[in-house]
Amino acid sequence: MLVFAVAAFFLVSVGVYTLNFVLLQNVERDAKSINEGGKLRGYSQQLAKAVLTLSHESAAGEPVQTSQAQISEAYQAFDLALARVQTFAAASQDGPALELADKLDRQWQPLRDAAITLLISATPQRAEIDAAVTLSNTRNVRLLQLADDLTYEQERLAGDRARSMRVLQSGAIAVALLMFVFIVVHVARRLSQSDREAEQARRETTDILRTVREGLFLIDRNGTIGTQRSEHLARVFPHPLAPGDNFLVTLASLVTPDTLDSARQYLGLLLNERVKPALLADLNPLQRVQLAQPDGSRPKYLSFGFQPVRGGAATGITGMLVAVADVSQEVRLERELADAEERARSEVALLLDVLDKDPADVRRFLDDARAKLDGLNAALRDVAPEARAYLTTVTKVCREVHSIKGEAAALAIGAVAAQAHRFEDELGALRQRRTLTGDDLIPVATGIGRMLQELAKIDAVISRLAAFAQPAADAGPRGSETPRGEDGVLQSMQRIQRLALAVAADLDKKLRVETSLPHFGAIPEPVHRLLREGLPQLVRNAVVHGIEAAAERRRAGKHEEGRLRIELTRSADGGIELTVADDGRGIDVHALRRRLTEDGQRAAEQVAAMSDRDVIATLFEPGVSTAAAVSEHAGRGMGLDVVGALARETGARLKLVSTPRAYTRFTLLWSPA
């Protein structure tokens, strides 16, 4: 309706303007016609006067050229004015005006002819002059009357047109005014309606932004934050988001640089018109991000969702709607559920690990491990308050935990081995610091407590199984140190063999394990201890560092299956010898020298001055390892340290022989009792 009203107003305005233009042209023509009619009266009198003057000058014998010029000028001007009056009358299509113009022409023609006769000769005849004077006297009055009538008629026509124009203008103005009022009223009503709708939309938007349980806000293509946001945003986002701030700049203080860079690239992809947002949903680096909490409070997790905002086909994507939700509780619940599932799996795995073990072996492992851990707790209580003593104590803890880890791995008690491995990660970080304080020993005591808890779980399982089993014969009091015989050695070797094959499988290596066990009588407890605690370290060391991968062995001209041989023999004088040999890559002294320097174990000058024997001897020091990275099986630099300590404690002599790219052999010798 408004469009039609505006169009009608435009058409009326154009029509009125056109009509005014036409009427004004008619008024202009009428004005000229009236003017020309007035001129006719003047030219008629001028002609009559000039003819009379010519008559007097001719009677007096005076020159008549001036009078003839005046007559010529007067009749030509009358002719021109009459022609214009006739043209105007014809254009006006007014009957009376046309009739008066015709009468003027008929009255004028005789007088015009007489005037021309007076101009033919330089000295007109008296009779011609008298005839012209008589005709001028008789015709001039009629010409004046007709000119007056014509002027009156033209003035009447002009007045009628002026009145018509005023009426039309008044009507057009009235119509235009009505249309204008209609447009104003209609626009006012539409504006009022739009205001009501806008107010309603504003209230609804405010209600939505106040009620929605997500933090919502807008950013433009440059990342500038808009003015509209949900009230929940202030409760979700840790920092105030002021309009005009840059979203990525604000985010930089909350996430890691890598996450921020990924978020910047992700937003750039979303702003690309040719990329569908649905295809990028899984790439969102802020889908669940942990925020930095400088005050040490509980970690907070936010989930950011991004939806492109399109302004239209011409403008394309103008910005992004950002939805922020606090998913901290969800993450915590998921982690608690995952921890519960992991505990359940761990307990089931623990039960399965224990079921196929000799309870006496497991009991002995538990007793030994608890004794070591209790000793470590005592060492922590009695440590001297100085940095060197702290580092020595941490190194001792590393050695004992590594020993427990090796024995647990040999017994295939994965829960204890995994707990020990995690504890080694914490201890490794402490050992790298070199300068420690008393507070640094707090996590060490906590780690020992976790190890004891893991052992307590196994003890509980063993106790329950023992209650159900009701063994017919008691294996002896708990913690007995009775020497073990050939059956015990055989079981130890079988466990070691399984450990070696498991480590090789983890490292994708092919391995054949050979054992040589002569008939033994009773095995002294020191030897048995080294078999339990030290042999797993030697076997793991041989598989990880000695045996090459199948492809490397083929290139070296070796059989792709590595060979590990374990021998336990008794000499004629009653001594015992344990040998662990592999046909692997041997010890590369030059590579070990570089490693000592790169790891900061020794200064370059000190390493250069050391003999090859001294360099190889460093392998039995804590923290020295040739592994490229720390793994479950190697990289701590504690395995041979454990073996060396056990050799000293059990009274064994330790020999190491190695040829690069050929073999390595460890030998432990116990003199006869």
Side-chain angles (χ1 to χ4, degrees):
M1 180 62 73
L2 180 62
V3 174
F4 290 114
V6 172
F9 179 79
F10 176 76
L11 292 175
V12 169
S13 300
V14 172
V16 170
Y17 175 79
T18 304
L19 184 60
N20 283 340
F21 180 76
V22 173
L23 292 176
L24 286 174
Q25 284 185 328
N26 292 335
V27 169
E28 181 182 5
R29 187 177 62 246
D30 292 341
K32 291 180 178 179
S33 178
I34 293 171
N35 185 43
E36 295 299 331
K39 289 181 179 180
L40 288 175
R41 297 182 58 190
Y43 294 150
S44 176
Q45 290 178 348
Q46 181 181 349
L47 180 60
K49 181 180 178 182
V51 171
L52 185 59
T53 301
L54 178 62
S55 175
H56 289 312
E57 289 177 347
S58 177
E62 297 178 354
V64 296
Q65 286 79 8
T66 301
S67 299
Q68 285 179 319
Q70 292 176 350
I71 292 171
S72 176
E73 181 181 353
Y75 98 83
Q76 290 181 2
F78 194 95
D79 271 349
L80 182 59
L82 180 59
R84 290 175 178 171
V85 167
Q86 289 174 329
T87 301
F88 291 147
S92 66
Q93 295 295 318
D94 182 67
L98 288 171
E99 184 179 353
L100 289 172
D102 187 55
K103 289 180 179 180
L104 271 171
D105 184 60
R106 289 196 301 270
Q107 288 293 329
W108 164 250
Q109 289 301 327
L111 183 57
R112 177 178 179 278
D113 293 341
I116 293 174
T117 302
L118 294 177
L119 298 175
I120 294 175
S121 175
T123 54
Q125 297 297 321
R126 186 64 195 176
E128 295 173 347
I129 294 173
D130 291 340
V133 171
T134 301
L135 189 58
S136 174
N137 290 334
T138 58
R139 297 275 178 166
N140 190 47
V141 175
R142 182 59 180 162
L143 287 173
L144 291 175
Q145 182 62 44
L146 290 173
D148 287 340
D149 293 343
L150 180 60
T151 301
Y152 175 76
E153 179 63 22
Q154 290 171 336
E155 289 175 350
R156 183 188 66 78
L157 287 174
D160 292 343
R161 288 194 177 93
R163 284 189 296 273
S164 299
M165 185 170 66
R166 284 195 297 271
V167 171
L168 288 173
Q169 287 179 336
S170 299
I173 291 173
V175 172
L177 183 61
L178 289 175
M179 290 183 178
F180 178 74
V181 171
F182 173 79
I183 292 173
V184 170
V185 172
H186 187 77
V187 170
R189 290 178 60 188
R190 290 294 300 272
L191 289 175
S192 178
Q193 181 180 356
S194 298
D195 289 342
R196 290 194 300 271
E197 293 174 353
E199 178 62 22
Q200 178 67 19
R202 187 191 64 79
R203 287 197 300 269
E204 292 176 356
T205 302
T206 302
D207 291 341
I208 292 173
L209 293 178
R210 185 174 58 248
T211 307
V212 69
R213 304 305 297 172
E214 285 185 322
L216 299 177
F217 61 96
L218 291 170
I219 60 175
D220 62 14
R221 293 184 64 90
N222 297 321
T224 303
I225 300 172
T227 58
Q228 299 298 312
R229 73 275 313 280
S230 63
E231 290 187 3
H232 194 68
L233 180 63
R235 294 191 289 271
V236 174
F237 211 77
H239 298 313
L241 288 177
D245 288 351
N246 188 277
F247 171 65
L248 292 174
V249 173
T250 304
L251 194 65
S253 61
L254 302 175
V255 300
T256 63
D258 290 341
T259 302
L260 180 66
D261 187 58
S262 298
R264 183 180 291 107
Q265 296 179 17
Y266 178 71
L267 290 178
L269 289 175
L270 286 179
L271 292 173
N272 191 333
E273 295 283 351
R274 294 175 294 182
V275 178
K276 295 182 178 180
L279 302 178
L280 302 176
D282 294 337
L283 301 179
N284 184 2
L286 302 180
Q287 194 167 17
R288 182 176 290 182
V289 60
Q290 181 178 357
L291 302 186
Q293 299 289 97
D295 55 356
S297 58
R298 296 177 66 181
K300 186 172 185 178
Y301 294 84
L302 294 184
S303 177
F304 292 82
F306 300 92
Q307 182 63 40
V309 177
R310 298 183 180 275
T315 57
I317 298 176
T318 59
M320 204 74 62
L321 174 65
V322 185
V324 190
D326 188 345
V327 294
S328 301
Q329 184 65 18
E330 178 183 343
V331 172
R332 283 193 289 269
L333 290 175
E334 289 179 357
R335 291 189 173 181
E336 290 175 3
L337 178 60
D339 291 342
E341 293 177 349
E342 180 61 28
R343 285 195 299 271
R345 285 194 298 268
S346 176
E347 291 174 359
V348 172
L350 181 62
L351 178 60
L352 295 176
D353 286 343
V354 172
L355 282 175
D356 63 346
K357 305 295 185 300
D358 184 350
D361 289 338
V362 178
R363 287 283 188 197
R364 185 176 295 104
F365 164 70
L366 293 177
D367 292 341
D368 291 346
R370 267 196 295 261
K372 291 178 181 179
L373 294 175
D374 290 340
L376 293 178
N377 274 327
L380 288 176
R381 289 192 300 268
D382 300 336
V383 63
E386 58 181 19
R388 184 178 182 83
Y390 295 148
L391 182 59
T392 301
T393 301
V394 171
T395 301
K396 180 180 180 181
V397 174
C398 288
R399 183 185 301 116
E400 297 291 3
V401 170
H402 199 77
S403 175
I404 294 173
K405 173 183 172 182
E407 190 172 358
L411 286 170
I413 303 178
V416 176
Q419 183 64 48
H421 185 70
R422 289 191 292 269
F423 192 16
E424 283 184 314
D425 289 337
E426 301 174 11
L427 296 172
L430 290 176
R431 292 185 67 249
Q432 290 177 357
R433 292 170 55 181
R434 299 297 180 183
T435 301
L436 302 177
T437 64
D439 291 340
D440 293 325
L441 298 184
I442 295 177
V444 177
T446 303
I448 293 174
R450 290 195 298 267
M451 291 285 295
L452 287 170
Q453 290 176 0
E454 202 65 39
L455 296 176
K457 293 179 184 178
I458 301 176
D459 195 4
V461 172
I462 290 293
S463 298
R464 292 174 185 174
L465 292 176
F468 283 104
Q470 294 293 331
D474 194 347
R478 187 171 171 179
S480 172
E481 298 296 331
T482 302
R484 302 289 300 273
E486 294 182 11
D487 291 342
V489 174
L490 180 60
Q491 291 176 4
S492 296
M493 288 300 177
Q494 289 173 345
R495 288 195 296 268
I496 291 299
Q497 187 174 14
R498 288 195 295 268
L499 173 64
L501 294 175
V503 174
D506 286 347
L507 300 178
D508 197 21
K509 294 181 179 181
K510 295 183 178 182
L511 179 67
R512 183 175 76 256
V513 182
E514 300 174 353
T515 59
S516 176
L517 300 172
H519 295 289
F520 273 91
I523 300 297
E525 176 56 28
V527 177
H528 236 301
R529 181 186 174 190
L530 199 141
L531 291 178
R532 293 194 310 269
E533 302 178 22
L535 185 55
Q537 307 297 338
L538 290 173
V539 168
R540 194 194 301 265
N541 184 79
V543 177
V544 174
H545 298 286
I547 302 299
E548 309 96 325
E552 183 179 348
R553 291 181 65 85
R554 285 194 299 269
R555 288 194 298 270
K558 299 180 180 180
H559 193 280
E560 65 180 15
E561 185 179 62
R563 187 169 68 93
L564 175 63
R565 183 170 180 80
I566 305 171
E567 292 185 83
L568 184 63
T569 60
R570 187 185 293 273
S571 61
D573 60 357
I576 298 176
E577 179 177 312
L578 174 65
T579 303
V580 178
D582 65 81
D583 64 345
R585 60 172 60 94
I587 299 175
D588 187 344
V589 178
H590 298 292
L592 183 55
R593 288 180 184 273
R594 290 194 302 271
R595 192 62 181 265
L596 289 172
T597 304
E598 293 171 357
D599 290 349
Q601 298 284 344
R602 298 284 194 282
E605 298 81 4
Q606 183 181 0
V607 173
M610 294 170 63
S611 65
D612 290 349
R613 182 185 181 88
D614 293 335
V615 171
I616 293 176
T618 61
L619 291 173
F620 296 92
E621 296 180 5
V624 177
S625 175
T626 58
V630 175
S631 68
E632 181 183 356
H633 304 298
R636 305 288 185 187
M638 299 302 300
L640 294 183
D641 177 46
V642 170
V643 173
L646 284 171
R648 290 189 296 272
E649 293 174 10
T650 60
R653 287 180 296 145
L654 177 62
K655 294 182 180 180
L656 170 59
V657 180
S658 178
T659 299
R661 297 180 297 279
Y663 74 95
T664 300
R665 183 173 64 247
F666 289 88
T667 304
L668 288 150
L669 299 171
W670 287 272
S671 300

Short mmCIF file of all heavy atoms in Angstrom, two decimals, residues 82-105:
data_model
loop_
_atom_site.label_atom_id
_atom_site.label_comp_id
_atom_site.label_asym_id
_atom_site.label_seq_id
_atom_site.Cartn_x
_atom_site.Cartn_y
_atom_site.Cartn_z
N LEU A 82 -0.50 42.17 -36.53
CA LEU A 82 -1.75 41.49 -36.89
C LEU A 82 -1.49 40.01 -37.18
O LEU A 82 -2.29 39.14 -36.78
CB LEU A 82 -2.37 42.17 -38.12
CG LEU A 82 -3.69 41.56 -38.62
CD1 LEU A 82 -4.75 41.59 -37.53
CD2 LEU A 82 -4.19 42.31 -39.87
N ALA A 83 -0.36 39.73 -37.87
CA ALA A 83 -0.03 38.33 -38.14
C ALA A 83 0.18 37.54 -36.83
O ALA A 83 -0.27 36.41 -36.69
CB ALA A 83 1.22 38.26 -39.01
N ARG A 84 0.83 38.17 -35.86
CA ARG A 84 1.04 37.50 -34.58
C ARG A 84 -0.27 37.30 -33.83
O ARG A 84 -0.48 36.23 -33.22
CB ARG A 84 2.01 38.32 -33.72
CG ARG A 84 3.44 38.29 -34.25
CD ARG A 84 4.33 39.20 -33.44
NE ARG A 84 5.72 39.13 -33.92
CZ ARG A 84 6.68 39.96 -33.48
NH1 ARG A 84 6.39 40.90 -32.58
NH2 ARG A 84 7.90 39.85 -33.96
N VAL A 85 -1.15 38.33 -33.92
CA VAL A 85 -2.45 38.20 -33.24
C VAL A 85 -3.25 37.05 -33.85
O VAL A 85 -3.88 36.26 -33.15
CB VAL A 85 -3.22 39.53 -33.33
CG1 VAL A 85 -4.68 39.33 -32.92
CG2 VAL A 85 -2.58 40.57 -32.43
N GLN A 86 -3.20 36.93 -35.17
CA GLN A 86 -3.91 35.83 -35.83
C GLN A 86 -3.33 34.46 -35.44
O GLN A 86 -4.07 33.50 -35.25
CB GLN A 86 -3.84 36.02 -37.35
CG GLN A 86 -4.68 37.19 -37.86
CD GLN A 86 -4.47 37.45 -39.34
OE1 GLN A 86 -3.38 37.22 -39.86
NE2 GLN A 86 -5.50 37.96 -40.01
N THR A 87 -1.99 34.42 -35.32
CA THR A 87 -1.35 33.16 -34.91
C THR A 87 -1.76 32.77 -33.49
O THR A 87 -2.10 31.61 -33.21
CB THR A 87 0.17 33.30 -35.00
OG1 THR A 87 0.55 33.62 -36.34
CG2 THR A 87 0.85 31.99 -34.59
N PHE A 88 -1.75 33.74 -32.58
CA PHE A 88 -2.14 33.48 -31.20
C PHE A 88 -3.59 33.06 -31.11
O PHE A 88 -3.95 32.16 -30.35
CB PHE A 88 -1.90 34.71 -30.33
CG PHE A 88 -0.43 35.03 -30.13
CD1 PHE A 88 0.02 36.34 -30.00
CD2 PHE A 88 0.53 34.01 -30.07
CE1 PHE A 88 1.35 36.63 -29.83
CE2 PHE A 88 1.86 34.30 -29.90
CZ PHE A 88 2.30 35.61 -29.78
N ALA A 89 -4.46 33.73 -31.93
CA ALA A 89 -5.89 33.40 -31.91
C ALA A 89 -6.11 31.98 -32.43
O ALA A 89 -6.94 31.22 -31.90
CB ALA A 89 -6.67 34.40 -32.75
N ALA A 90 -5.35 31.61 -33.49
CA ALA A 90 -5.49 30.26 -34.03
C ALA A 90 -5.00 29.22 -33.02
O ALA A 90 -5.59 28.14 -32.88
CB ALA A 90 -4.71 30.13 -35.33
N ALA A 91 -3.93 29.53 -32.29
CA ALA A 91 -3.40 28.60 -31.30
C ALA A 91 -4.35 28.43 -30.11
O ALA A 91 -4.44 27.36 -29.52
CB ALA A 91 -2.03 29.06 -30.81
N SER A 92 -5.07 29.51 -29.76
CA SER A 92 -5.97 29.45 -28.61
C SER A 92 -7.27 28.73 -28.93
O SER A 92 -8.00 28.33 -28.03
CB SER A 92 -6.30 30.86 -28.11
OG SER A 92 -7.04 31.57 -29.10
N GLN A 93 -7.58 28.58 -30.24
CA GLN A 93 -8.80 27.91 -30.67
C GLN A 93 -10.04 28.56 -30.05
O GLN A 93 -11.05 27.90 -29.80
CB GLN A 93 -8.74 26.42 -30.29
CG GLN A 93 -7.67 25.63 -30.99
CD GLN A 93 -7.89 25.54 -32.50
OE1 GLN A 93 -9.01 25.34 -32.95
NE2 GLN A 93 -6.83 25.76 -33.26
N ASP A 94 -9.94 29.87 -29.82
CA ASP A 94 -11.09 30.61 -29.28
C ASP A 94 -11.85 31.27 -30.43
O ASP A 94 -11.28 32.07 -31.21
CB ASP A 94 -10.60 31.67 -28.28
CG ASP A 94 -11.73 32.42 -27.65
OD1 ASP A 94 -12.50 31.81 -26.88
OD2 ASP A 94 -11.86 33.63 -27.93
N GLY A 95 -13.16 30.95 -30.57
CA GLY A 95 -13.95 31.47 -31.69
C GLY A 95 -14.03 32.98 -31.74
O GLY A 95 -13.77 33.59 -32.80
N PRO A 96 -14.42 33.67 -30.66
CA PRO A 96 -14.49 35.14 -30.69
C PRO A 96 -13.17 35.78 -31.07
O PRO A 96 -13.12 36.75 -31.81
CB PRO A 96 -14.90 35.48 -29.26
CG PRO A 96 -15.66 34.29 -28.79
CD PRO A 96 -14.98 33.14 -29.40
N ALA A 97 -12.08 35.25 -30.56
CA ALA A 97 -10.78 35.83 -30.88
C ALA A 97 -10.46 35.66 -32.35
O ALA A 97 -9.94 36.58 -33.01
CB ALA A 97 -9.69 35.19 -30.02
N LEU A 98 -10.78 34.47 -32.90
CA LEU A 98 -10.54 34.25 -34.32
C LEU A 98 -11.40 35.19 -35.17
O LEU A 98 -10.94 35.74 -36.19
CB LEU A 98 -10.85 32.79 -34.67
CG LEU A 98 -9.85 31.74 -34.15
CD1 LEU A 98 -10.39 30.32 -34.37
CD2 LEU A 98 -8.51 31.90 -34.86
N GLU A 99 -12.66 35.37 -34.75
CA GLU A 99 -13.58 36.26 -35.51
C GLU A 99 -13.10 37.70 -35.46
O GLU A 99 -13.09 38.41 -36.49
CB GLU A 99 -14.98 36.15 -34.92
CG GLU A 99 -16.03 36.95 -35.70
CD GLU A 99 -17.42 36.81 -35.12
OE1 GLU A 99 -17.59 35.98 -34.18
OE2 GLU A 99 -18.33 37.51 -35.59
N LEU A 100 -12.64 38.16 -34.29
CA LEU A 100 -12.15 39.54 -34.17
C LEU A 100 -10.87 39.73 -34.98
O LEU A 100 -10.67 40.78 -35.62
CB LEU A 100 -11.89 39.87 -32.70
CG LEU A 100 -13.15 40.03 -31.82
CD1 LEU A 100 -12.77 40.15 -30.36
CD2 LEU A 100 -13.94 41.29 -32.27
N ALA A 101 -10.02 38.74 -34.98
CA ALA A 101 -8.79 38.84 -35.76
C ALA A 101 -9.10 38.90 -37.25
O ALA A 101 -8.46 39.65 -38.00
CB ALA A 101 -7.88 37.64 -35.44
N ASP A 102 -10.14 38.14 -37.69
CA ASP A 102 -10.54 38.18 -39.10
C ASP A 102 -11.12 39.54 -39.48
O ASP A 102 -10.84 40.07 -40.56
CB ASP A 102 -11.56 37.06 -39.35
CG ASP A 102 -11.88 36.92 -40.82
OD1 ASP A 102 -10.93 36.74 -41.61
OD2 ASP A 102 -13.06 36.97 -41.15
N LYS A 103 -11.96 40.10 -38.58
CA LYS A 103 -12.52 41.44 -38.83
C LYS A 103 -11.42 42.48 -38.91
O LYS A 103 -11.47 43.40 -39.75
CB LYS A 103 -13.51 41.81 -37.74
CG LYS A 103 -14.81 41.01 -37.81
CD LYS A 103 -15.76 41.43 -36.68
CE LYS A 103 -17.07 40.65 -36.74
NZ LYS A 103 -18.00 41.05 -35.65
N LEU A 104 -10.46 42.39 -38.05
CA LEU A 104 -9.34 43.33 -38.08
C LEU A 104 -8.62 43.26 -39.42
O LEU A 104 -8.24 44.29 -40.01
CB LEU A 104 -8.35 43.02 -36.95
CG LEU A 104 -8.58 43.69 -35.60
CD1 LEU A 104 -7.65 43.11 -34.55
CD2 LEU A 104 -8.35 45.21 -35.70
N ASP A 105 -8.47 42.04 -39.92
CA ASP A 105 -7.76 41.87 -41.18
C ASP A 105 -8.56 42.51 -42.33
O ASP A 105 -7.98 43.17 -43.20
CB ASP A 105 -7.52 40.40 -41.44
CG ASP A 105 -6.71 40.17 -42.71
OD1 ASP A 105 -5.55 40.66 -42.76
OD2 ASP A 105 -7.21 39.49 -43.61
#
